[in-house]
Amino acid sequence: MSNLRAIYIIWYRDLLRFWRDKARLFSSFVMPFLFLVIFGTGLSASMLLLGRGTEEAGYNYIQFLFPGIVGMIVLFTAVMWGVSIVWDREFGFLKEILVAPISRAAVAMGKTLGGATIATVQGTVMLVFAPFVGVSLSVSQVLLLIVLMFVFACSITAMGILIASRIKTMEAFQVVMQLLLFPLFFLSPARFPVQNLPSWLGTLVRINPVSYGIDSFRQSILEPTSANFGINLFGHPMSIAEDILLVALFGLVMVLLAVWSFSTQE
Amino acid sequence: MKRHIIEVENLVKRFGDLVAVDDISFNVEEGEIFGFLGPNGAGKTTTINVLCTLFKPTSGRARLAGFDVVRQQNQVRRSIGLVFQDPSLDLRLNALQNLNFHAYVYGVPRAVRKKRIEEVLRMVELWDRRREEVRNFSGGMRRRLEIARGLLHYPKVLFLDEPTLGLDPQTRHHIWDYILHLRKRESITIFLTTHYMDEAGVADRIAIIDYGKIVALDTPDALKRMIGGDIITLKTENAEAAMAEIRHQFGIEAQKDSQGVFFEVPNGEEFIPLLVNNFKTDLHSISMRRPTLDDVFLKLTGREIREEAGGEAAMRRQWAMYQARDHRGRFG
Ligand SMILES: Nc1ncnc2c1ncn2[C@@H]1O[C@H](COP(=O)(O)OP(=O)(O)O)[C@@H](O)[C@H]1O
Ligand SMILES: [Mg+2]
């Protein structure tokens, strides 16, 4: 009971801080748009050569890319939420949390839910741009996407928090995150269909848990023909449910590790 | 016999090879102000960190309000309030939000939450500023807010780790007023640390700690009585001659430092006329003062705490830190 209250207030504080930070709030609305413009126009010409499969499926490249950008926004926001823990450590507020009569699990849960909520909000904002790229979304699609993004964001936030729990300085956190983010993003089907990849690259993409999150977004945004460029694992084409189940399993492991990491600190 | 609210037995805390707390034992009585006095690096903060469950002791035992700090962490945490040496507020939130967060994680019942927050904010005279972002608060206001927060859940023991570090003398004074006022009103035990000698005097009992060991523990008056009486300081061109003459006439071993020649006598008022009547060496001045905790520390350790230099440097450091944090906070 007291832990539920603690999870709530830790979550609430994260939202409050997000809301207060007008600069970040602003950039969270502008950045997705910029990404879309830059990735969409800059790369579409070259990618069209590779991406014949996408044309056959009845989507142009920018439409294919759209779910990938949504995934990228959620991924970046979620993973970077770990930074709030590094900040709290540096500013001393983490001590206020760590001496409170609540379990470390509650701390990890509250932080995970906070970061995941913010990442989901960011992803949802991104969906506003769907009509501009010629994708129309129904209310039920949007609701499904919110659920998918939230599960995905929880998993990724927990991973960021796990890393932040062990890293003491801002600089080190930034470096580790860059090293981690780039393979997670570039070795995912965010920017290209898996089918056309050399097999070694295809294997790496299939190992990357982020791939399944993005695949689930793409399948729910670009239905119904999207199966043409979805991931298949051992010859089995993944459904939305299977995708998100894998993501959730990964997330469960991350949450458990994060809780463990928080509890074993001195 | 008063109850012991804190019991520490043979507590040791090592960081690698460094022994930060070296086998200390002491008890704190319920309702007293207990002071930890020692120079920077003596192990004061480390002791608090063990007592508040942030650090595990390397060996030894500590109990707080009857609960073991290793095995009954949650009960210990519920019993204590903390004002850390380093700032620990969320600068991006306002005063109310900081206190509200605290009330939730400490499980202050909903029915009394608002009332208590108002009560502690009024106590530290921050009620009018309650909706202002803490970032805009001065160092003294932040400290007061931290004290208010530490009291919000009605702890049995309030830890104050260098509560006035980095504050100007007027604000320091102000903070002590609150603490003493608090003591009169509540049945709370206060455990404070400081390296300002003059501040330690407010404690009922003081443990002097140096290199992780307690070198003395008593009331301030009793500690001062360890010094033979009053301290006489002579200013003279010829320190050696003066010291020799004092040894010869009064059988007292004087010492010398940059201030002059000094020594202890049981009763300064009666001693000065004797000295003036018979002394041969030329003197510029004679001064007498009551012993301070500085003198006690010097006598026990052979060193001075050097509070002025240390205090100012620490003050500047702390201030620079606040500034840096504020600055970066804007991008956080
Ligand atoms: N987390 C830590 N890791 C390593 N050494 C530490 C740590 N905390 C304190 N110390 C060391 O322990 C000694 C005592 O420090 P501290 O308890 O902070 O002293 P004080 O509070 O009396 O100034 C110092 O030498 C300090 O460098
Ligand atoms: Mg200290």
Side-chain angles (χ1 to χ4, degrees):
Chain A
M1 191 47 216
S2 68
N3 278 320
L4 276 183
R5 246 194 321 249
I7 291 173
Y8 162 74
I9 199 73
I10 290 169
W11 170 84
Y12 179 72
R13 166 177 175 257
D14 275 0
L15 260 58
L16 210 56
R17 281 177 65 99
F18 176 70
W19 180 246
R20 286 239 159 161
D21 196 343
K22 298 301 177 209
R24 181 153 64 198
L25 205 61
F26 178 75
S27 78
S28 76
F29 282 84
V30 172
M31 287 296 273
F33 182 70
L34 288 181
F35 279 132
L36 201 62
V37 170
I38 293 167
F39 275 110
T41 54
L43 296 173
S44 59
S46 59
M47 290 300 286
L48 263 177
L49 299 171
L50 290 173
R52 269 173 54 212
T54 64
E55 291 290 353
E56 283 157 19
Y59 291 103
N60 63 30
Y61 181 66
I62 201 159
Q63 288 168 328
F64 171 83
L65 187 66
F66 183 67
I69 300 294
V70 172
M72 171 180 162
I73 298 293
V74 179
L75 168 69
F76 280 35
T77 313
V79 108
M80 277 307 175
W81 199 247
V83 92
S84 71
I85 288 189
V86 181
W87 278 106
D88 282 349
R89 193 193 309 282
E90 199 154 312
F91 281 77
F93 192 75
L94 192 63
K95 270 197 274 187
E96 153 83 352
I97 300 176
L98 293 184
V99 290
I102 52 174
S103 74
R104 296 289 149 94
V107 177
M109 295 291 286
K111 289 304 280 186
T112 300
L113 292 175
T117 304
I118 288 162
T120 305
V121 168
Q122 301 254 37
T124 308
V125 168
M126 186 65 202
L127 296 181
V128 172
F129 294 107
F132 296 103
V133 299
V135 173
S136 66
L137 294 172
S138 68
V139 173
S140 63
Q141 265 175 306
V142 171
L143 291 180
L144 172 64
L145 272 165
I146 289 177
V147 173
L148 294 176
M149 286 190 291
F150 189 70
V151 174
F152 177 69
C154 280
S155 305
I156 302 296
T157 311
M159 183 179 73
I161 284 168
L162 168 64
I163 294 166
S165 72
R166 290 283 148 167
I167 290 185
K168 310 291 179 209
T169 72
M170 200 60 125
E171 293 74 17
F173 184 81
Q174 301 283 10
V175 170
V176 172
M177 282 310 164
Q178 305 290 330
L179 289 178
L180 196 73
L181 259 180
F182 282 95
L184 284 179
F185 178 64
F186 287 106
L187 294 177
S188 80
R191 293 161 51 252
F192 41 70
V194 198
Q195 277 77 3
N196 305 354
L197 297 177
S199 70
W200 64 272
L201 201 53
T203 307
L204 287 179
V205 169
R206 286 183 178 84
I207 291 172
N208 179 4
V210 169
S211 301
Y212 300 93
I214 288 180
D215 191 53
S216 76
F217 302 159
R218 181 163 290 135
Q219 289 197 49
S220 41
I221 291 176
L222 302 184
E223 62 181 1
T225 45
S226 55
N228 289 340
F229 40 74
I231 301 184
N232 43 25
L233 197 58
F234 307 117
H236 168 73
M238 297 293 282
S239 68
I240 295 180
E242 287 162 344
D243 275 336
I244 209 63
L245 193 68
L246 270 187
V247 171
L249 278 177
F250 170 74
L252 190 65
V253 173
M254 287 297 136
V255 169
L256 291 176
L257 283 176
V259 167
W260 167 81
S261 172
F262 259 99
S263 318
T264 54
Q265 288 205 334
E266 202 161 12
Chain B
M1 227 349 236
K2 278 202 168 173
R3 199 163 81 96
H4 289 157
I5 192 123
I6 302 177
E7 301 160 301
V8 175
E9 282 170 44
N10 304 109
L11 187 71
V12 176
K13 178 65 189 177
R14 284 204 189 89
F15 298 106
D17 287 341
L18 179 90
V19 188
V21 174
D22 191 0
D23 193 17
I24 62 174
S25 303
F26 62 92
N27 294 317
V28 176
E29 286 170 10
E30 192 161 19
E32 76 174 333
I33 298 187
F34 186 87
F36 243 32
L37 175 65
N40 277 325
K44 305 183 293 295
T45 300
T46 305
T47 307
I48 288 191
N49 281 341
V50 170
L51 293 178
C52 77
T53 75
L54 273 181
F55 287 169
K56 278 201 184 67
T58 308
S59 66
R61 272 165 30 100
R63 295 172 74 78
L64 202 145
F67 302 115
D68 188 283
V69 299
V70 177
R71 278 172 293 135
Q72 295 167 295
Q73 291 195 343
N74 256 6
Q75 288 95 321
V76 170
R77 291 173 181 182
R78 234 180 276 283
S79 316
I80 61 176
L82 280 147
V83 175
F84 296 103
Q85 178 174 336
D86 297 325
S88 64
L89 294 165
D90 186 338
L91 302 183
R92 302 305 303 253
L93 302 185
N94 65 31
L96 275 182
Q97 289 164 335
N98 267 287
L99 293 184
N100 206 40
F101 184 93
H102 189 88
Y104 268 85
V105 290
Y106 279 80
V108 175
R110 177 196 291 272
V112 296
R113 204 181 293 146
K114 276 221 172 79
K115 194 179 108 290
R116 289 237 200 128
I117 289 178
E118 176 166 355
E119 172 195 316
V120 293
L121 276 178
R122 284 196 189 282
M123 188 199 93
V124 297
E125 296 171 77
L126 285 175
W127 178 246
D128 295 336
R129 315 287 295 264
R130 62 190 179 278
R131 294 196 193 280
E132 221 171 288
E133 253 184 70
V134 175
R135 198 154 47 130
N136 302 329
F137 281 13
S138 68
M141 290 163 72
R142 291 176 188 187
R143 224 43 181 156
R144 274 146 58 196
L145 183 57
E146 285 176 326
I147 292 173
R149 187 178 66 178
L151 291 168
L152 188 58
H153 56 286
Y154 288 179
K156 293 201 178 78
V157 181
L158 179 66
F159 287 94
L160 298 164
D161 196 358
E162 313 241 11
T164 58
L165 183 71
L167 303 178
D168 60 83
Q170 202 187 341
T171 314
R172 278 168 63 181
H173 207 80
H174 207 54
I175 299 260
W176 283 114
D177 279 349
Y178 287 126
I179 294 171
L180 292 175
H181 174 69
L182 191 75
R183 221 279 276 247
K184 260 182 248 149
R185 245 183 22 167
E186 328 259 344
S187 59
I188 191 171
T189 309
I190 297 177
F191 185 112
L192 64 91
T193 79
T194 179
H195 67 274
Y196 295 123
M197 290 290 171
D198 50 334
E199 292 187 343
V202 306
D204 297 312
R205 289 191 307 144
I206 297 171
I208 295 184
I209 180 167
D210 191 33
Y211 292 119
K213 283 190 192 302
I214 292 180
V215 292
L217 195 170
D218 217 323
T219 62
D221 286 339
L223 286 172
K224 288 176 193 165
R225 280 198 297 273
M226 292 171 69
I227 306 285
D230 299 322
I231 292 160
I232 307 282
T233 306
L234 309 178
K235 288 227 167 88
T236 170
E237 296 294 332
N238 198 343
E240 298 304 329
M243 286 165 75
E245 198 178 345
I246 293 161
R247 189 180 311 123
H248 184 71
Q249 276 206 32
F250 305 102
I252 298 171
E253 281 301 327
Q255 289 170 280
K256 102 189 146 163
D257 68 3
S258 55
Q259 305 295 308
V261 171
F262 64 96
F263 52 95
E264 299 160 17
V265 294
N267 186 328
E269 279 98 346
E270 289 173 11
F271 178 83
I272 288 179
L274 291 177
L275 183 77
V276 176
N277 287 340
N278 300 314
F279 216 63
K280 305 284 186 310
T281 314
D282 270 346
L283 296 176
H284 296 305
S285 70
I286 304 172
S287 60
M288 181 202 91
R289 57 183 176 81
R290 306 285 176 210
T292 64
L293 289 169
D294 261 314
D295 302 312
V296 179
F297 189 81
L298 179 66
K299 186 177 180 107
L300 289 169
T301 66
R303 288 176 295 119
E304 282 182 68
I305 276 197
R306 283 270 161 248
E307 66 164 297
E308 273 325 301
E312 261 167 42
M315 203 181 286
R316 269 197 299 274
R317 255 202 322 276
Q318 182 97 354
W319 182 242
M321 197 163 72
Y322 270 132
Q323 300 268 305
R325 285 173 178 200
D326 278 6
H327 181 68
R328 276 182 297 176
R330 235 152 259 155
F331 301 95

